[in-house]
Amino acid sequence: ALVIGSGDYAELPNLPNARRDATAIANRLAEMGFDEIEIAENIDGDELRRVPSYVEKRAREVDIVVIFYAGHGVETNGVNYLVPIDASLDRETELRSTALALDDLTTAAGKARRGSLVIVDACRDDPFVEAKAVASSRASCTWAWAASAPRSPG
């Protein structure tokens, strides 16, 4: 099992319960008889983006993979991301290059011989929703203006 608890964010609100929840889950998994439980705390972007390849390699060697993630999450354009502690969510393109797409993690965990379970304890706000609304309103205003512009006599 891999248990991740990220709560000490550089530019996002801290999540004081994330590490505590990760510890509680790790303890419960041990009580349930899981032989190997790895705990990772406050993972930065480089570490988080390496997790899927590590999980995939380990998953091929075991029957069941369990992953628990507590930290910030973001959903934008139908894609869910796990957010590293050093992320700055200023632009959506930056999110795609610094965060981890949840699909990448679930695909890697799915390589286990008998099954996998990925548990995500995160809000999935879209920090770009306001910017998308502004861009959308500008596009519709431009279109409306163009549609109502008078034609020159001709």
Side-chain angles (χ1 to χ4, degrees):
L2 175 61
V3 178
I4 301 170
S6 291
D8 299 334
Y9 285 84
E11 296 189 32
L12 299 173
N14 285 335
L15 302 172
N17 293 331
R19 289 175 38 204
R20 194 172 346 168
D21 292 347
T23 300
I25 292 292
N27 290 337
R28 184 65 183 121
L29 290 171
E31 291 169 8
M32 293 171 61
F34 277 80
D35 295 332
E36 294 183 40
I37 302 166
E38 296 182 50
I39 300 173
E41 294 182 342
N42 294 318
I43 297 193
D44 67 21
D46 290 336
E47 291 173 298
L48 190 59
R49 285 186 302 281
R50 285 193 300 263
V51 167
S53 62
Y54 174 76
V55 167
E56 183 172 339
K57 185 186 334 178
R58 295 297 314 262
R60 294 179 189 278
E61 303 167 359
V62 299
D63 289 333
I64 298 171
V65 169
V66 174
I67 298 172
F68 175 82
Y69 172 86
H72 278 294
V74 171
E75 184 276 328
T76 186
N77 292 325
V79 178
N80 291 292
Y81 294 93
L82 308 181
V83 180
I85 61 164
D86 58 349
S88 169
L89 301 181
D90 295 333
R91 293 183 310 275
E92 194 168 349
T93 54
E94 186 175 302
L95 173 70
R96 288 191 295 266
S97 66
T98 60
L100 172 63
L102 180 58
D103 283 347
D104 293 345
L105 185 58
T106 58
T107 298
K111 303 297 182 187
R113 290 181 261 192
R114 295 188 58 207
S116 63
L117 175 64
V118 177
I119 303 165
V120 177
D121 179 5
C123 293
R124 296 175 352 216
D125 296 329
D126 186 344
F128 311 108
V129 72
E130 187 176 316
K132 289 176 190 173
V134 169
S136 176
S137 68
R138 285 183 182 157
S140 63
C141 289
T142 302
W143 178 84
W145 177 82
S148 63
R151 295 182 184 200
S152 58

